[in-house]
Amino acid sequence: MKKELRVIGKPVPKHDAGIRVTGKAVYGHDIVLPGMLHGAILRTEHPAAEFTIDVSQARKLPGVVCVITADDVDVNNIGYKRDHPILKKGEANCTRDEIAAVAADTKAIAQEALKLIKVKYKVRKGVYDPFEALNEKSPQINKFISGKFPNKNIAEVFHYEHGHLEEEKKKSAVTVTRRFSLPRMTHTCMGTSNITASFNKTDGKLLLYSSTQVPFLYQRDMAHALKMNPSDIRVIQPVIGGGFGSKLDMHPFEPICALLSIKTGRPVQILYSREEEFIASPTRQPMIIDLTAGADEKGNFTFREINIIKDNGAYTSWGATTPFVIMQAFSSLYKVRACKFDATAVYTNNVFAGSFRGYGNPQATFALERIIDLLADELKMDKAAIRLLNANEKGEITGQGLHFETCGHKECLETVIEKAKGKRQKHVASGAEPAKVENPRFKNGIGYASMLHVGGGAKIYRSDGCGTTSKIDPYGYCTIITGSNEIGQGSETVLAMIASEELGIELKKIKVINTDTDVKPWDVGVHASRTSFVAGNSLLGAIRILKDKLNKKASELLQTNDPEFEYSDNKIISEKTKTTIALDKVVREMHFSEPNELAIASFFYEPSSKFQDKDFKGNVSGTYAFASQAIEVEVDTYTGNVKVLDIYVAQDVGKVLNPLLLAGQIEGGILQGVGYALTEELLMHEGKILNPNFHNYKILTASDIPNIHFYPIETNDKQGPYGAKGVGEAPLIPTAAAISNAVCDALGVEFLELPMTPERVLKAIHENK
Amino acid sequence: MKKKQKIAQRHKISFKLNSKDVSCDVKASAVLMDVIRDVLELKGTKPGCREGECGACTVLINGSPINSCLFLAINAEGKKITTIEGLTKEDGSLDIVQHELVQHGAVQCGFCTSGMAMSIKGLMNQHEKSNRGAGKNKKGQPSREEIKKHLEGNLCRCTGYVKIIDATEKLFVKEK
């Protein structure tokens, strides 16, 4: 018998909203430890230069406790490829490069000390274009890579293929080739990057208050960098002021802060200024995508051939691995018979990218969905119809081996097409009458895009699992100790709701412990939209074991052999004998009478997904998420300004766990996507960032929001907790693609790059005349 | 050297902070945010950009919202200042603004929330003030567009603002 859910699916406000809305939440910026010093970092003045450094004057400044350069530390390189020195020695290759660090009594003294450090630069001509970097004559930019690739400036390559490419090319009635160009976008978390490190010289243990998204990987990376034992490093996460992927990599300022603490034996704190945050925190990967795609005369997609050049910057971060996700979009979003994919990450003297919500997928989806519109134009087909024709289906195993056991793609498409009906496309190739033009200054258009993303974790590490310990105390309160992390997305709330649902304990009696690597069980971290899915399943496993113990005791106390107890209203109820016992009483009887036993249970959940083979084939996620968006824009042809009017979004979320939190993810993600489409670009000139502030790097404000119409699609995936799939990244992924399709529809122009700033829109209008 | 000392001279200021009288010595160049956070140790006011762009440090001065990172502390003399800590009631219960933000799911990472809540409170104060003694000519609730315009100076990267605007709209419906 399927019971009605009491808590799951309800709009429960955030479990931890109370501390955040009263100013009581302690972020890294708010931590003050006894005897704490303030750290500051000196970065190179030139993105490509040799240098010599003299810190003697800085060391003499009263209030300065420690100054370090590369010469003062014995450390390993960091980064995904271990090609990134924490402090750079003699040579700078990127405007972010850390060349010295100071710890002082006050922030002001630390800044003053930086000014006293004398650096002599011998400036070199940098390489800022990845194509130029691939030229044999260009200098080697990163000297720390082992050099297994034919070109010295290649950091990483990916190759994938399925199907018979040449045959499919022959079968194609139309073929379109385009080059797409994607900008640097940055996270702009409202809370800037921060760390507080406290090293105890007596026992050799290092305590870090860090806003990492991946505390256990971070602990390991930090230990490698500092040549320490990982278990001697304890990572505590204070409340985190935004993540969005920026805190997946460990960045140099973090081991630098640890080193300052190790040297001084005192706590040291480093807080980024907003300018530093723009300059020195990661970005979304800029890339050039060459895409050729074909379709047969009916509109069935035949093949895709992709070649991507990614500007890796001077060092390699997790961002270099985004082709894992990018190739999924190209190989498996909409059915396609053949696919050949190559991606190359190329070193330049630019800033390096990192991980950013969507992990390469917004770039891939932009190129793919734009080319689908172009294929439809060639075929004189309706842009909605060509998408419906090729949409993914339940049961499909794609060329890459992704198995869609549930699939809401078609339903998502149908929903947004239906809801946006009446918003007729302006440039209709299929012969239908286009919408009437009322004011020649303003032109409206509509665009569609879909997306495919992992929805049940992603098996990239040896384990994609999550551990949970759950206990009930003698007062009937439940504590969940989870490996997963809260970064504002609502993970604590979802876990508390699951415990409340399963144990019949009210939400206010549920506590979530999730911030301390010395306490919590292992978990990969917050990425790949995995937390609700993986941590939710892990908690359900722990509760199952806990309930077995409670059931046993309850059977004894109620003198029934009923195996089906109902947990409700803080009680355990036997349906059979109609008897009831208070949950806290059962726990007390377990704890305090012989044979004494704790009401506690642990479980480790590992998703059913598999590692991909060397050809990148395999079912990499427990389940997959789909979404479609239909977006109407209004373009002011006098100013080039694009106004997004309505966004219709349907997303296969598996099952709605909490509609309030879900809507928050959708709306927040979409607005980041609108920014990617229209306003956000970190501008660079010869390796330097030109707009490191909110005045010149525009993230959207309350005034810029479109009307968002959200339709959750429930496909109830049996792998997910209550049928749920991951939702966090999806809303951002198709937004820029759909907006660009809408702008192209409105103006009859072709956009192949982002963002579509007024300047670029006017240029496109002008060139089209 | 003499000149430097003069600049570094400290000034005693007294003002009302969250209904309590406080006084402290500050440098002429000190901004209110730093005094609130570092001298008076109220950490709820958040440092988002220190250049008046993000609004995370918004506090109320005599009921009106300002960016405390741009406001010189010496100009707080004799004024009434309210921070997020002062919005919460004495018994710990939430102010109606905080309550609606929570209920609407308008809080995610929360770093912008203090400033956002103070900005919304400022709008309510402004609305109430303009309606005081207005008799029949009372202004109706602000439109959604007016609310958006008012919140333009408070950036949020998590929520997409929808829930924040919904919460604010609800406050004015309740107020009526």
Side-chain angles (χ1 to χ4, degrees), chain A residues 20 27 30 680 700 703, chain B residues 37 46 109 152 157 161:
Chain A
R20 293 173 197 249
Y27 297 80
D30 307 326
E680 294 186 41
L700 299 179
S703 286
Chain B
R37 283 181 55 83
K46 292 293 175 233
C109 90
E152 243 178 14
R157 195 55 154 169
Y161 306 101

Side-chain angles (χ1 to χ4, degrees), chain A residues 457-512:
Chain A
K459 195 154 279 182
I460 295 168
Y461 313 94
R462 285 186 64 194
S463 160
D464 191 31
C466 173
T468 307
T469 294
S470 183
K471 67 164 187 168
I472 303 179
D473 70 16
Y475 317 103
Y477 282 56
C478 174
T479 302
I480 301 162
I481 305 166
T482 174
S484 63
N485 311 279
E486 170 71 41
I487 61 167
Q489 83 280 42
S491 138
E492 285 181 15
T493 312
V494 167
L495 294 179
M497 288 169 75
I498 290 174
S500 177
E501 181 72 52
E502 297 298 320
L503 293 166
I505 300 174
E506 68 229 80
L507 282 160
K508 66 177 182 188
K509 288 188 177 176
I510 296 168
K511 299 174 253 193
V512 183

Side-chain angles (χ1 to χ4, degrees), chain B residues 131-171:
Chain B
N131 275 347
R132 207 172 293 150
K136 274 187 180 171
N137 300 323
K138 274 191 180 177
K139 264 168 74 177
Q141 66 181 92
S143 69
R144 203 167 166 89
E145 291 311 311
E146 284 168 319
I147 291 170
K148 288 180 184 176
K149 197 78 200 154
H150 179 81
L151 295 178
E152 243 178 14
N154 292 85
L155 299 181
C156 168
R157 195 55 154 169
C158 297
T159 65
Y161 306 101
V162 179
K163 299 278 176 272
I164 295 168
I165 298 162
D166 289 349
T168 311
E169 259 190 328
K170 180 80 181 293
L171 281 166

Side-chain angles (χ1 to χ4, degrees), chain A residues 177-443:
Chain A
T177 301
R178 289 291 185 279
R179 169 169 285 193
F180 300 92
S181 172
L182 283 310
R184 271 186 195 80
M185 175 195 194
T186 187
H187 306 72
T188 70
C189 299
M190 295 313 298
T192 54
S193 299
N194 62 84
I195 182 169
T196 307
S198 180
F199 182 71
N200 185 330
K201 284 190 172 187
T202 308
D203 63 12
K205 296 217 180 340
L206 177 64
L207 171 61
L208 300 172
Y209 296 91
S210 160
S211 49
T212 175
Q213 294 178 221
V214 290
F216 289 101
L217 299 182
Y218 183 90
Q219 181 190 41
R220 190 198 61 184
D221 285 352
M222 185 68 77
H224 176 263
L226 302 176
K227 302 185 176 177
M228 284 179 72
N229 184 329
S231 229
D232 284 332
I233 299 171
R234 178 181 181 189
V235 182
I236 293 180
Q237 295 157 289
V239 177
I240 296 171
F244 318 118
S246 63
K247 293 155 174 76
L248 194 74
D249 278 285
M250 184 182 75
H251 299 283
F253 78 96
E254 297 170 284
I256 285 174
C257 191
L259 285 164
L260 290 169
S261 181
I262 290 168
K263 294 268 178 199
T264 58
R266 289 169 66 176
V268 181
Q269 183 171 78
I270 293 182
L271 300 180
Y272 273 13
S273 68
R274 181 54 63 185
E275 185 183 18
E276 208 171 10
E277 185 76 11
F278 271 104
I279 291 171
S281 65
T283 71
R284 189 182 290 292
Q285 287 71 29
M287 54 183 78
I288 304 288
I289 303 177
D290 287 320
L291 170 60
T292 302
D296 65 20
E297 71 285 353
K298 287 187 184 139
N300 296 301
F301 297 151
T302 47
F303 78 96
R304 292 171 191 154
E305 193 171 11
I306 307 100
N307 196 356
I308 300 180
I309 298 291
K310 294 163 29 117
D311 184 346
N312 196 55
Y315 308 101
T316 313
S317 72
W318 275 113
T321 68
T322 49
F324 274 120
V325 175
I326 297 172
M327 71 172 76
Q328 274 167 34
F330 284 118
S331 76
S332 304
L333 175 57
Y334 302 98
K335 283 173 274 185
V336 61
R337 300 201 285 257
C339 175
K340 180 168 172 278
F341 174 94
D342 285 284
T344 308
V346 182
Y347 287 115
T348 65
N349 290 110
N350 289 321
V351 294
F352 51 95
S355 138
F356 196 155
R357 193 178 193 175
Y359 214 71
N361 209 343
Q363 295 95 314
T365 302
F366 171 72
L368 180 58
E369 288 287 358
R370 281 267 50 233
I371 219 144
I372 290 173
D373 267 19
L374 297 171
L375 286 169
D377 283 342
E378 291 281 322
L379 287 162
K380 301 205 183 321
M381 242 181 116
D382 180 76
K383 284 161 187 157
I386 196 170
R387 288 177 166 84
L388 282 169
L389 176 71
N390 289 284
N392 300 104
E393 283 173 318
K394 185 180 171 181
E396 183 183 343
I397 299 175
T398 74
Q400 203 183 349
L402 315 183
H403 186 183
F404 302 151
E405 289 184 58
T406 56
C407 173
H409 189 186
K410 203 163 247 177
E411 208 179 333
C412 287
L413 267 171
E414 283 166 351
T415 303
V416 298
I417 291 164
E418 170 64 26
K419 298 292 178 185
K421 220 172 175 180
K423 313 256 175 193
R424 187 139 0 111
Q425 287 210 304
K426 187 119 304 143
H427 293 85
V428 187
S430 57
E433 194 188 336
K436 281 212 178 80
V437 179
E438 298 197 341
N439 181 340
R441 176 173 169 181
F442 297 98
K443 291 190 173 178

Side-chain angles (χ1 to χ4, degrees), chain B residues 19 23 27 30 38 44 51 55 72 85 93 95 101 107 126 135 148 170:
Chain B
S19 310
S23 42
K27 275 198 225 164
D38 299 338
E51 50 196 18
L72 289 178
E85 290 87 351
S93 61
D95 178 80
L101 287 172
V107 181
Q126 188 190 316
K148 288 180 184 176
K170 180 80 181 293

Side-chain angles (χ1 to χ4, degrees), chain A residues 29 261 429 503 582 590 713:
Chain A
H29 314 70
S261 181
L503 293 166
M590 280 175 73
I713 304 295

